[in-house]
Every structure is written in C-alpha cells, then in structure tokens.
C-alpha cells in the first residue's frame, strides 16, 4: 500500500527495498516477465474501474505502473536509442544513402542533391536553398 501511495503521488512514506531487489527472486526463480506485468497492469485498471475511477486516471495509473516495468523485471532501465539499435553511424549513413537513391528514383523532378550532411533543393531560378 505504501509503495502505490508513493507512486501515485501521495505522501512519501515508502521505505521498502527497490523494485529490482523486491522482484529479483520472482524473475530468477519463477520467470516473472512482460506477460505477467501486462496482467498486473490490466488487473490494476479493472480494479480502479470497479471503484469508479475516471478513465484518464486509470490511464495515468497504468503509465506509472509501466514506468517501473524494467526495474521490476530486473532489466536495464535505459533502453538503447534507435540510432544504437540500428548500428550507429555506419548503419545510419548507409540507410540515408540508400533512401536518398530511392527518393531520386521515384521523384527525380525534385532536383535535390546531397552535399555532405545537408540537403539542398533548387528553387525555380536554379539557385540552391537549404532544406
């Protein structure tokens, strides 16, 4: 009770262990995972609905519960960025180059050329302008 009171913005009286430590044994020994968390969040929402809580507040409560998901499941809490997941600069450079070629194939009349990291288009007078 004291954790949910704290998590929902009430008095900060929670003095228990952190989420990771509190759930580590469940993760290690019983396989606590995302599907379990989904059920917990759903049951929380159903309970609040039965108590007459407004939908917007239920949505907020679910967001709060989901905000500690990685801690509860003992995962890294800082997910990799899309840039990192794609493979960094080499992968993004390759994607941009390939994408650019596809754009020129489909829309050749745009008369866009790539200069280093800038894209330039040509105005009707033939002068370049930064995009």
């Amino acid at each position: 009770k004291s954790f949910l009171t704290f998590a929902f913005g009430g008095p900060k009286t929670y003095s228990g262990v952190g989420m990771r430590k509190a759930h580590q044994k469940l993760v290690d020994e019983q396989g606590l995972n995302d599907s379990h968390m989904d059920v917990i969040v759903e049951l929380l929402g159903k309970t609040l609905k039965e108590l007459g809580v407004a939908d917007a507040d239920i949505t907020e409560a679910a967001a709060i519960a989901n905000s500690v998901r990685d801690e509860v499941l003992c995962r890294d809490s800082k997910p990799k960025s899309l840039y990192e997941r794609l493979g960094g600069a080499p992968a993004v450079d390759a994607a941009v180059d390939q994408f650019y070629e596809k754009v020129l194939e489909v829309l050749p009349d745009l008369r866009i050329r790539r200069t280093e990291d800038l894209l330039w288009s040509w105005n009707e007078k033939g002068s370049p302008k930064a995009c």
Side-chain angles (χ1 to χ4, degrees), residues 8-56:
F8 291 165
K12 299 184 183 345
T13 59
Y14 179 70
S15 60
V17 298
M19 290 288 105
R20 186 176 296 265
K21 186 172 183 179
H23 296 90
Q24 187 72 58
K25 191 172 183 178
L26 290 171
V27 171
D28 292 344
E29 296 177 11
Q30 297 183 30
L32 183 67
N33 61 42
D34 280 301
S35 63
H36 298 112
M37 282 293 297
D38 293 342
V39 170
I40 296 298
V41 173
E42 183 180 337
L43 291 173
L44 175 61
K46 284 182 180 182
T47 301
L48 294 173
K49 186 74 168 174
E50 289 170 3
L51 293 170
V53 174
D55 288 343

Side-chain angles (χ1 to χ4, degrees), residues 69-83:
R69 180 180 291 255
D70 286 337
E71 281 297 306
V72 167
L73 298 178
C74 304
R75 299 189 292 222
D76 266 341
S77 60
K78 185 180 179 227
K80 289 183 176 182
S81 68
L82 177 58
Y83 177 82

Side-chain angles (χ1 to χ4, degrees), residues 30-121:
Q30 297 183 30
L32 183 67
N33 61 42
D34 280 301
S35 63
H36 298 112
M37 282 293 297
D38 293 342
V39 170
I40 296 298
V41 173
E42 183 180 337
L43 291 173
L44 175 61
K46 284 182 180 182
T47 301
L48 294 173
K49 186 74 168 174
E50 289 170 3
L51 293 170
V53 174
D55 288 343
D57 293 332
I58 293 171
T59 299
E60 185 176 348
I64 291 168
N66 279 313
S67 74
V68 296
R69 180 180 291 255
D70 286 337
E71 281 297 306
V72 167
L73 298 178
C74 304
R75 299 189 292 222
D76 266 341
S77 60
K78 185 180 179 227
K80 289 183 176 182
S81 68
L82 177 58
Y83 177 82
E84 293 169 317
R85 293 191 314 268
L86 289 175
V92 172
D93 286 347
V96 168
D97 290 342
Q98 190 170 340
F99 171 69
Y100 176 71
E101 292 302 319
K102 289 181 185 299
V103 168
L104 289 181
E105 287 172 17
V106 175
L107 303 169
D109 58 317
L110 287 183
R111 297 192 313 163
I112 297 173
R113 68 180 172 89
R114 187 165 180 238
T115 305
E116 296 178 304
D117 293 328
L118 297 175
L119 285 178
W120 297 85
S121 68

